């Protein structure tokens, strides 16, 4: 397996951060190019990380294998993309009704310095009750992001604070922990629920 | 050339014209702000965001240059972009020119009024005044309703 440094954090990311600061919002993004195989998230069974959920339980990829799972990276100091996505996810779960009870939903923070267990607990409390908030040490967050081929980086803001750039796609896994699909940020909402239904039914086909 | 074309198209779509010369500016009495809303905050440490549609009903282009509100020390128009790798980032959007008869939407995942350094928590059910400043020196103040943290739009 070719290892790629998708996680740009700390010193290694300085160049990228500088570039992003300079040109980030000037860049006009074309239609998504097909992802090379190395960019495809690993199966959950091949990931290794240990985090803590918002109720203080130790969690990791093994915790969610056995049921279809939805994963989203973000942070609670995020004013736009994260509450929007968590509201979207909450809406999808409402649309699924009882079927939602068969799913795991994990919101993994990319900003553990501010997103403590308590902060996560308060924040996820405003969204659908199926959504679990996961946090933990930076190195474990980085390992998680690497497994999902997600990226994140800390970006200073005017006024001395910082924000986080991060992968905003929602990852969908079947009950075996195999990636079914990703729901991209700007995807129309009506496409999401059928994709989730596919993840809910795929466990039968995927069984070995 | 191709690159330039794509850039121009993107600008047309976003109605975001930064640093391009604008024709004579209309008065901001021609500005109509609709569907303003925001989400409640948890405390004051996290930035807030507000959304709305700004319509130019006049005959000349209008340039939105800045924001002011007693709610936040540093209100700023921001733009969220999501690249082809699915990575979202946020940055100041600069000035926004709205052509006559056109409107610009501040909506989740795109342009937003970023409310940095909140002076007080944003409480669901309350409202706050937000002033939009235009390059002709005119100002428009709107009362922005504060909805729940999980709100998805002006209706919810
Ligand atoms: Cu912002």
């Amino acid at each position: 397996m070719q290892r790629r440094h998708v996680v740009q954090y700390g010193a290694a990311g300085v160049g990228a951060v500088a570039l992003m600061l300079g040109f980030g919002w000037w860049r006009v993004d074309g239609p998504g190019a097909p992802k090379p195989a190395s960019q495809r998230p690993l199966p959950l069974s091949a990931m290794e990380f240990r985090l803590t959920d918002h109720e203080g339980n130790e969690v990791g990829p093994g915790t969610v294998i056995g049921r279809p799972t939805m994963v989203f990276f973000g942070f609670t100091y995020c004013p736009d993309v994260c509450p929007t996505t968590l509201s979207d996810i909450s809406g999808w779960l409402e649309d699924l009704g009882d079927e939602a009870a068969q799913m795991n939903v994990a919101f993994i923070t990319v900003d553990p310095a501010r997103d403590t267990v308590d902060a996560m607990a308060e924040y996820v409390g405003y969204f659908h009750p199926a959504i679990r908030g996961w946090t933990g040490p930076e190195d474990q967050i980085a390992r998680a992001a690497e497994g999902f081929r997600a990226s994140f980086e800390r970006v200073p803001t005017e006024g001395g604070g910082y924000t986080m750039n991060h992968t905003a796609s929602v990852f969908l896994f079947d009950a075996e922990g195999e990636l079914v699909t990703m729901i991209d940020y700007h995807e129309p909402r009506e496409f999401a629920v059928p994709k989730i239904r596919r993840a809910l039914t795929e466990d039968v086909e995927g069984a070995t | 050339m191709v690159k330039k074309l794509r850039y121009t198209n993107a600008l047309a779509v976003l109605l975001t014209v930064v640093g391009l010369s604008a024709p004579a500016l209309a008065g901001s009495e021609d500005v109509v702000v609709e569907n303003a809303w925001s989400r409640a905050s948890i405390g004051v440490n996290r930035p807030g965001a507000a959304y709305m549609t700004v319509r130019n009903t006049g005959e000349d282009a209008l340039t939105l240059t800045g924001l002011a509100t007693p709610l936040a020390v540093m209100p700023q128009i921001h733009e969220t972009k999501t690249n082809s790798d699915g990575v979202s980032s946020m940055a100041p959007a600069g000035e926004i020119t709205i052509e006559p008869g056109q409107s610009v939407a501040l909506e989740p995942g795109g342009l937003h009024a970023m409310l940095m350094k909140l002076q007080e928590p944003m409480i669901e059910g309350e409202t706050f005044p937000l002033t939009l400043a235009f390059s002709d020196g005119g100002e428009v103040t709107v009362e922005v309703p504060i909805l729940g943290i999980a709100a998805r739009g002006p209706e919810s």
Side-chain angles (χ1 to χ4, degrees):
Chain A
M1 170 72 49
Q2 185 195 1
R3 285 184 87 81
R4 296 193 47 151
H5 292 279
V6 287
V7 179
Q8 297 159 343
Y9 199 75
V14 164
V17 170
L19 203 76
M20 185 62 78
L21 279 173
F23 305 110
W25 63 89
W26 284 103
R27 201 177 54 220
V28 176
D29 299 303
K35 287 191 192 330
S38 59
Q39 292 290 90
R40 199 178 149 83
L42 299 177
L44 289 168
S45 56
M47 293 190 200
E48 263 182 72
F49 59 86
R50 288 161 62 137
L51 297 172
T52 305
D53 76 6
H54 68 275
E55 289 179 318
N57 305 303
E58 244 192 52
V59 290
T63 315
V64 293
I65 296 174
R67 285 156 136 210
T69 297
M70 212 170 350
V71 175
F72 170 66
F73 287 86
F75 62 115
T76 78
Y77 279 62
C78 165
D80 184 38
V81 165
C82 307
T84 301
T85 303
L86 290 173
S87 303
D88 284 346
I89 292 173
S90 298
W92 303 335
L93 292 169
E94 277 161 30
D95 288 353
L96 288 167
D98 291 343
E99 289 174 86
Q102 305 163 34
M103 292 200 84
N104 297 300
V105 187
F107 166 50
I108 304 179
T109 182
V110 294
D111 184 15
R114 295 187 294 201
D115 288 338
T116 60
V117 170
D118 287 348
M120 293 298 273
E122 183 170 18
Y123 195 75
V124 298
Y126 289 98
F127 298 94
H128 192 283
I131 301 173
R132 316 286 300 174
W134 291 12
T135 186
E138 274 179 21
D139 64 313
Q140 295 298 316
I141 301 278
R143 287 179 72 156
E146 194 176 347
F148 286 91
R149 304 302 187 228
S151 72
F152 61 97
E153 61 192 348
R154 188 172 158 147
V155 180
T157 54
E158 275 177 59
Y162 68 92
T163 188
M164 306 293 298
N165 294 349
H166 61 90
T167 299
S169 308
V170 175
F171 299 89
L172 262 176
F173 294 84
D174 65 15
E176 309 291 312
E178 296 292 331
L179 182 80
V180 176
T181 188
M182 279 147 62
I183 303 169
D184 287 330
Y185 184 64
H186 283 299
E187 210 160 298
R189 213 183 141 197
E190 57 270 28
F191 296 167
V193 172
K195 280 186 166 182
I196 298 167
R197 287 229 158 84
R198 215 172 91 212
L200 284 163
T201 51
E202 201 136 294
D203 52 352
V204 184
E205 288 172 46
T208 44
Chain B
M1 269 303 117
V2 170
K3 196 165 190 174
K4 186 163 187 186
L5 249 175
R6 279 178 60 202
Y7 180 70
T8 310
N9 284 341
L11 286 179
V13 168
L14 293 166
L15 293 169
T16 307
V17 184
V18 184
L20 294 188
S21 65
L25 294 169
S28 35
E29 64 267 21
D30 293 326
V31 176
V32 177
V33 179
E34 294 163 323
N35 295 325
W37 65 285
S38 62
R39 296 190 187 94
S41 70
I42 299 173
V44 295
N45 293 332
R46 294 173 174 83
Y51 306 99
M52 68 207 72
T53 302
V54 186
R55 191 179 302 283
N56 178 2
T57 62
E59 314 240 298
D60 300 299
L62 270 172
T63 299
L64 175 59
T65 54
L67 301 173
T69 173
L71 179 71
V73 178
M74 239 174 68
Q76 208 172 40
I77 300 159
H78 265 202
E79 184 167 20
T80 297
K81 291 208 170 176
T82 304
N83 71 15
S84 57
D85 292 328
V87 177
S88 281
S89 58
M90 226 175 22
E95 299 189 341
I96 294 169
T97 295
I98 311 168
E99 297 300 327
Q102 300 293 310
S103 62
V104 66
L106 277 63
E107 58 190 3
L111 293 168
H112 53 275
M114 177 89 164
L115 307 168
M116 290 171 285
K117 302 200 176 184
L118 292 179
Q119 305 269 55
E120 51 190 288
M122 297 171 73
I123 296 165
E124 184 173 354
E126 296 188 351
T127 65
F128 67 93
L130 181 69
T131 301
L132 285 68
F134 294 88
S135 58
D136 61 353
E139 288 183 349
V140 173
T141 299
V142 281
E143 278 297 319
V144 183
I146 302 172
L147 310 181
I149 290 183
R152 277 179 218 128
E155 309 303 324
S156 59

